[in-house]
Amino acid sequence: MAEKGREVLARIPGVVQVSFGTAVKETARYRYYLAVDFAERSVIQSYQDHPLHIAFADEDFRPMAPDRITTDFEIKF
């Protein structure tokens, strides 16, 4: 799933990096981490609506992580 996500999501215009991780603690409520870095804030909306993102989220990520948190962050450093 991580390799597919990196390959698919990186093809979306404005995506500069895709990172995945798994929780160290096996009993953690949230087991998976997915971070997508964008070239600029304006990319967020086009990414959310992009067919590649929608397909990956529906077919691959959401089935693995039905209980998830989605938040947009702006890095300050």
Side-chain angles (χ1 to χ4, degrees), residues 15 24 32 41 48 57 59-60 65 68 71:
V15 171
V24 173
Y32 304 100
R41 182 187 278 192
Q48 290 173 339
E59 298 167 15
D60 298 288
R68 64 193 169 279
T71 305

Side-chain angles (χ1 to χ4, degrees), residues 28-74:
R29 179 174 179 181
Y30 301 103
R31 298 276 307 133
Y32 304 100
Y33 165 85
L34 165 64
V36 181
D37 296 335
F38 304 110
E40 57 186 293
R41 182 187 278 192
S42 65
V43 174
I44 295 171
Q45 187 61 52
S46 61
Y47 170 84
Q48 290 173 339
D49 297 335
H50 198 283
L52 289 174
H53 168 249
I54 293 169
F56 174 76
D58 289 346
E59 298 167 15
D60 298 288
F61 189 74
R62 289 183 184 127
M64 284 190 71
D67 184 19
R68 64 193 169 279
I69 298 171
T70 301
T71 305
D72 297 317
F73 289 93
E74 185 170 47

Side-chain angles (χ1 to χ4, degrees), residues 1-20 34-38 47 50-57 61:
M1 189 274 299
E3 288 180 27
K4 180 179 179 182
R6 202 174 341 270
E7 187 271 324
V8 170
L9 300 177
R11 294 190 338 229
I12 298 173
V15 171
V16 295
Q17 183 174 333
V18 180
S19 303
F20 286 91
L34 165 64
V36 181
D37 296 335
F38 304 110
Y47 170 84
H50 198 283
L52 289 174
H53 168 249
I54 293 169
F56 174 76
F61 189 74

